[in-house]
Amino acid sequence: MDGISVIICAHNSAERIRPTIDALARCRANFPVEIIVVDNNSTDGTAGRAREAWDACGNDRFAFSIVEEPQAGLAYARRAGVRAASFGIVVFCDDDNWLAEDYLMHAKRIMRDPKVGAAGGCSTPANPENLPPWFYTFSWGFAVGVPLSRIAQLPDEPAAARSVDALWGAGLVTRRDIIKYLYTLPGFPALSGRKGAELLSGEDLEISACLLSAGYRLLFSESLRFKHDIAPKRLQTAYAKRLFANFERGFVVHGQYTKMIGAFETPLRAASVGCARIIKHMLLGRLTRESLLSLLAALRLPALMTSDQRRIYETVRSLRMLRSQNVSTEVLQNVGSESPA
């Protein structure tokens, strides 16, 4: 029976790692579970504090290990965790996420559907009394509430699950093999995620786009719940402004992926839209290399793209090829299973 690998990417997390581990230790599971803490270039004794927390929690049902990743950056920490994972389903648990006791059970149930590439859920702040008045206006940026792409859709019932076009990385449930494959592609990731004090972001948008490129569905499920322990320093206006200013790069990259996917799915439509965009931007005096992207992708002209655009193009192309191979294999397997004995 396959299990779940929970990956905690931790950079200087000594002061916040214990309640995260305590919450994981309380999770229910009737399948194997391993907890992998990736110590990402920490200088505050994160690894030792994580080990102490696990030894103190008294959980002898789950395996526990610590992996060192000296290259700073959330994407590199996730890569190290995925490479160390033993099971086909992985959960990316941030070092300040307190997963609900039934989180892993719901994750396992949702991922039984082979068409689902990733699932995410909603979170609530661990200490709501400490939140500033402006917080809930911008809560999606702190991985609280529901993802931005889900805001316009109210659920029909409490346990409703809906397809979305992007999920945040906090509490992300996904498949090890496809994420592991992503990290073999030379153009992935275009975004490295946070690096120490640098508030770089958007790698979760990139993962979402890549899974869509590979033909998977993304699900938002209200049954996946966790609490987000937001540090007081992150609730200062100056920090929030820096955080949101860095979202722009992630949105740009996600938009480029969307244009590439559209160009592969419906090239004629993408070419038409691309031509219309070029004319519009010329009339408005806003013509840039980005204006040409849809048309160049539809015409399969990566040589005329910027180097960043070309890397994303090659990533999408590789994922489309993988998708075709998987579909062909599935067809052959179905034919074989239907053959008379």
Side-chain angles (χ1 to χ4, degrees):
M1 178 171 59
D2 204 5
I4 289 181
S5 299
V6 181
I7 300 171
I8 307 173
C9 298
H11 170 75
N12 288 343
S13 306
E15 298 303 317
R16 56 184 177 272
I17 194 74
R18 180 154 197 157
T20 299
I21 288 178
D22 287 344
L24 279 169
R26 292 192 294 269
C27 283
R28 302 192 300 272
N30 55 3
F31 44 81
V33 174
E34 64 176 356
I35 313 297
I36 301 171
V37 175
V38 181
D39 185 4
N40 188 207
N41 197 34
S42 298
T43 58
D44 67 344
T46 289
R49 194 69 64 89
R51 173 61 69 181
E52 291 172 5
W54 183 256
D55 290 343
C57 73
N59 183 317
D60 58 0
R61 298 171 294 125
F62 301 166
F64 181 86
S65 63
I66 296 174
V67 174
E68 300 287 339
E69 174 49 61
Q71 188 169 7
L74 180 56
Y76 304 119
R78 284 180 172 161
R79 178 182 63 187
V82 168
R83 288 175 174 174
S86 302
F87 300 120
I89 299 172
V90 298
V91 174
F92 290 117
C93 177
D94 289 353
D95 59 4
D96 54 6
N97 293 166
W98 304 349
L99 302 188
E101 292 184 14
D102 58 0
Y103 201 95
L104 301 183
M105 297 290 287
H106 285 299
K108 182 73 170 176
R109 170 183 57 79
I110 291 169
M111 299 305 286
R112 288 195 189 113
D113 184 348
K115 296 179 181 178
V116 176
C122 53
S123 72
T124 54
N127 300 293
E129 67 278 3
N130 297 331
L131 301 177
W134 51 261
F135 177 80
Y136 284 105
T137 304
F138 305 98
S139 62
W140 60 269
F142 291 84
V144 169
V146 299
L148 185 61
S149 60
R150 185 71 172 86
I151 288 176
Q153 301 174 326
L154 290 174
D156 296 325
E157 55 188 50
R162 292 288 185 274
S163 293
V164 293
D165 59 8
L167 293 164
W168 53 40
L172 184 70
V173 183
T174 187
R175 300 189 183 279
R176 177 197 59 191
D177 290 349
I178 182 63
I179 299 297
K180 192 173 182 178
Y181 174 76
L182 281 177
Y183 285 117
T184 68
L185 301 178
F188 181 89
L191 300 163
S192 63
R194 298 187 183 184
K195 291 183 178 181
E198 296 181 69
L199 297 182
L200 304 177
S201 61
E203 77 290 337
D204 44 6
L205 293 177
E206 186 172 4
I207 289 174
S208 296
C210 287
L211 289 171
L212 291 175
S213 299
Y216 286 107
R217 293 175 61 205
L218 307 178
L219 281 188
F220 169 83
S221 173
E222 292 205 1
S223 61
L224 295 171
R225 295 179 176 272
F226 62 94
K227 290 186 177 181
H228 190 180
D229 181 28
I230 307 172
K233 68 176 182 179
R234 296 185 177 182
L235 296 173
Q236 298 174 1
T237 304
Y239 179 95
K241 287 183 177 180
R242 288 175 55 216
L243 176 67
F244 279 83
N246 282 285
F247 282 164
E248 183 177 356
R249 173 59 178 158
F251 292 144
V252 168
V253 168
H254 187 265
Q256 291 173 341
Y257 271 101
T258 300
K259 291 172 184 174
M260 301 288 190
I261 294 171
F264 278 97
E265 294 279 356
T266 54
L268 290 179
R269 183 179 184 278
S272 299
V273 171
C275 289
R277 182 179 291 115
I278 291 170
I279 294 171
K280 177 182 177 181
H281 288 185
M282 287 179 64
L283 293 174
L284 296 174
R286 297 191 329 217
L287 187 66
T288 65
R289 296 291 293 275
E290 190 69 20
S291 307
L292 309 176
L293 184 56
S294 292
L295 180 60
L296 294 178
L299 297 177
R300 307 292 191 266
L301 295 174
L304 299 181
M305 299 176 185
T306 67
S307 57
D308 288 341
Q309 292 171 346
R310 189 159 54 248
R311 283 196 294 269
I312 294 174
Y313 175 91
E314 293 299 335
T315 297
V316 173
R317 188 177 69 86
S318 297
L319 290 167
R320 296 277 302 181
M321 292 175 61
L322 178 68
R323 175 179 176 180
S324 298
Q325 293 170 2
N326 289 341
V327 169
S328 299
T329 301
E330 183 178 342
V331 170
L332 289 174
Q333 289 174 342
N334 290 337
V335 170
S337 64
E338 294 171 2
S339 299

